[in-house]
Amino acid sequence: MTPQGEIWEHVCSEDGPRLDKYLAACLPELTRSYLQRLVKEEQVLVNDAPGKSNYKVRSGDRLRIHLPAVQEPEAFPEDIPLDILYEDEDVLLVNKPKGMVVHPSAGHESGTLVNAVLYHCQGQLSGINGVLRPGIVHRIDRDTTGALVVCKNDKSHQSLAAQLKEHSITRKYRAIVHGILKEDGTVNAPIGRHPVDRKRMAVNYKNGKEAVTHYHVLEQLKGYTYIECQLETGRTHQIRVHMASIGHPLLGDAVYGPARCPFSLEGQCLHAMVLGFLHPSTGEYLEVSAPLPEYFGKLLQKLQK
């Protein structure tokens, strides 16, 4: 989470899009409207001068933001439609849409998955992760779509947390990456905070935690490759960091890949398709599959021509 009441500094490594869009990619915890407000209030400096939202960033630009201290947001029920893949008394599995944040945070006080499940489950959620993350045992990024499990009680939460720790949960993602991958492979490289930009993650052999991603080539496209990634671990931005580390960043990922995208995408082209685990009550294996979102399918068709 981006710390509030602190100074965020960043040096642009290449030319990019307009300032507000670039900041939204660098600071996914904050909404674009919140960042635009900071720009309007002259809290965002570009080379020590107040920036404008429509300014297009350039390589070498020094960005500096004063993030005002904010009060911890409250989580409250909101009647937001959910795409439910499976539900019973213990767990709720949903297909998270693009642009939805998992739990409330600064700049995302409402419209989150937690707000939606609080309404849907009428408060019947595990409380292990506190009032802002009820039922949340794992998360996916705002611009990543797909399957996510919500725990309705502490028993199911403890069971799923233990399976995550043991790396026994099945998590398969679909992604489109830059460049042509000719064969399957595995990236086994620890992930930790970037040594310079503390708001990003990076392969970090000194202070990183174990991270393993297996990737399988599904189809070679025109300048890109359609792949399936299976996680052994679940580090922050794991697939995005690992694929970028081998020279194949995710299409649309302005944080770990090219700042400019040739397609109209909002964030990385990544979808959590398959999620499977041992049911906390029955002990039987439960697996769900979330269909590819419309934008992903249309992009695939375009790249296949």
Side-chain angles (χ1 to χ4, degrees):
M1 181 182 295
T2 303
Q4 302 296 294
E6 295 187 7
I7 301 297
W8 179 84
E9 295 180 305
H10 175 79
V11 177
C12 301
S13 59
E14 57 184 319
D15 294 349
R18 47 184 285 161
L19 180 61
D20 56 351
K21 187 173 182 180
Y22 185 83
L23 291 175
C26 291
L27 298 167
E29 300 91 349
L30 305 179
T31 63
R32 190 167 172 180
S33 60
Y34 178 74
L35 289 165
Q36 287 173 332
R37 191 177 80 201
L38 292 181
V39 172
K40 187 175 181 180
E41 294 173 353
E42 298 189 346
Q43 300 286 355
V44 179
L45 301 182
V46 180
N47 302 322
D48 299 321
K52 303 294 183 182
S53 286
N54 61 359
Y55 171 77
K56 291 189 176 181
V57 301
R58 298 178 179 179
S59 178
D61 279 349
R62 291 176 288 107
L63 309 182
R64 180 183 173 90
I65 306 176
H66 175 256
L67 296 166
V70 296
Q71 294 183 341
E72 189 80 345
E74 295 182 10
F76 52 91
E78 288 186 90
D79 186 5
I80 301 171
L82 289 171
D83 183 358
I84 298 174
L85 301 171
Y86 174 86
E87 183 177 13
D88 61 25
E89 294 180 353
D90 295 303
V91 294
L92 169 68
L93 286 93
V94 299
N95 183 13
K96 189 188 82 65
K98 202 172 189 68
M100 175 180 272
V101 174
V102 172
H103 56 75
S105 61
H108 293 282
E109 290 81 6
S110 63
T112 73
L113 181 66
V114 162
N115 297 118
V117 298
L118 279 171
Y119 182 91
H120 177 80
C121 297
Q122 300 297 307
Q124 298 301 309
L125 296 165
S126 70
I128 292 176
N129 270 351
V131 295
L132 287 182
R133 300 171 180 82
I136 303 302
V137 68
H138 73 121
R139 60 181 292 275
I140 52 181
D141 297 334
R142 178 183 68 181
D143 292 325
T144 299
T145 56
L148 187 144
V149 61
V150 177
C151 298
K152 290 187 172 183
N153 50 60
D154 289 354
K155 171 190 170 184
S156 60
H157 192 122
Q158 290 166 345
S159 174
L160 268 294
Q163 292 181 59
L164 279 168
K165 187 175 181 180
E166 295 168 357
H167 306 162
S168 60
I169 291 183
T170 301
R171 286 173 291 172
K172 295 180 180 179
Y173 289 70
R174 294 292 174 89
I176 298 177
V177 299
H178 286 268
I180 302 299
L181 278 165
K182 296 182 179 180
E183 57 186 13
D184 301 349
T186 295
V187 182
N188 186 345
I191 290 177
R193 290 291 173 187
H194 192 282
V196 177
D197 186 349
R198 304 298 292 174
K199 307 304 182 292
R200 299 174 62 198
M201 309 302 290
V203 170
N204 188 327
Y205 286 95
K206 183 178 181 180
N207 300 311
K209 295 182 179 179
E210 177 193 16
V212 180
T213 304
H214 306 285
Y215 59 88
H216 168 61
V217 175
L218 295 172
E219 186 177 358
Q220 293 174 345
L221 308 167
K222 293 181 179 179
Y224 304 93
T225 307
Y226 180 35
I227 64 172
E228 179 177 85
C229 293
Q230 182 160 356
L231 298 181
E232 279 195 28
T233 54
R235 307 304 174 199
T236 301
H237 299 174
Q238 179 171 317
I239 293 174
R240 299 166 63 188
V241 171
H242 270 173
M243 297 313 298
S245 74
I246 62 171
H248 296 279
L250 271 60
L251 179 58
D253 192 342
V255 177
Y256 299 105
R260 291 180 176 175
C261 179
F263 306 99
S264 298
L265 298 177
E266 291 294 330
Q268 65 278 357
C269 195
L270 182 64
H271 176 68
M273 177 166 275
V274 177
L275 181 62
F277 53 86
L278 296 180
H279 192 279
S281 289
T282 68
E284 296 181 356
Y285 183 70
L286 172 66
E287 183 176 284
V288 298
S289 181
L292 284 175
E294 183 178 8
Y295 92 90
F296 202 127
K298 288 183 176 179
L299 181 58
L300 266 181
Q301 292 179 350
K302 183 180 295 186
L303 294 175
Q304 288 168 337
K305 293 180 180 179

